[in-house]
Amino acid sequence: YDTLNNHRAAFEKTVESYWQSEKVSSDLRDLLDYALGEVHSVHILPLNGTIGPISDVHNGKAGKQSQAKVTAEIKTAVRELAPRLEELGRRKDRVLLELQSSTR
């Protein structure tokens, strides 16, 4: 995340400069928007709130009700994140294919 977020402008500028293709540049922007926004900000970042409860469960400091709640939250997060990661992979593959097949 940090590398993508901190170097995004440089990645976009490099692709725009070397490939000189609006389609490739646009698809890269869309990929990064999706990765940083939809996948990370919406679905991964909120998982930070489950670190403490997971640690409590792991260390035996949580009761059965807390364990069930943490388990349910994780299952929901995985169920919601899985199709987004698949879509992210498809978008990544498309951009890489375009970068490989486009002439500079």
Side-chain angles (χ1 to χ4, degrees):
Y1 168 81
D2 286 335
T3 299
L4 285 179
N5 192 44
N6 294 334
H7 301 288
R8 177 185 181 155
F11 294 151
E12 290 177 5
K13 185 174 180 160
T14 299
V15 167
E16 185 178 313
S17 174
Y18 285 107
W19 274 265
Q20 297 180 355
S21 166
E22 181 54 39
K23 174 145 179 48
V24 174
S25 295
S26 176
D27 284 350
L28 176 64
R29 278 191 303 275
D30 290 346
L31 170 67
L32 295 174
D33 284 345
Y34 189 75
L36 297 172
E38 175 70 19
V39 175
H40 183 265
S41 294
V42 174
H43 292 281
I44 293 176
L45 193 58
L47 292 174
N48 286 341
T50 62
I51 293 172
I54 289 171
S55 180
D56 290 346
V57 169
H58 177 73
N59 293 321
K61 296 179 182 176
K64 296 244 184 240
Q65 190 174 15
S66 294
Q67 289 177 9
K69 181 180 178 191
V70 169
T71 300
E73 288 176 8
I74 292 169
K75 286 180 179 180
T76 298
V78 168
R79 192 172 45 254
E80 292 175 354
L81 188 56
R84 286 159 180 89
L85 292 176
E86 289 174 17
E87 175 63 17
L88 181 62
R90 283 190 292 275
R91 291 180 186 211
K92 180 251 328 164
D93 291 343
R94 184 175 60 241
V95 169
L96 289 176
L97 183 62
E98 289 174 358
L99 289 171
Q100 291 171 349
S101 64
S102 296
T103 57
R104 293 194 218 182

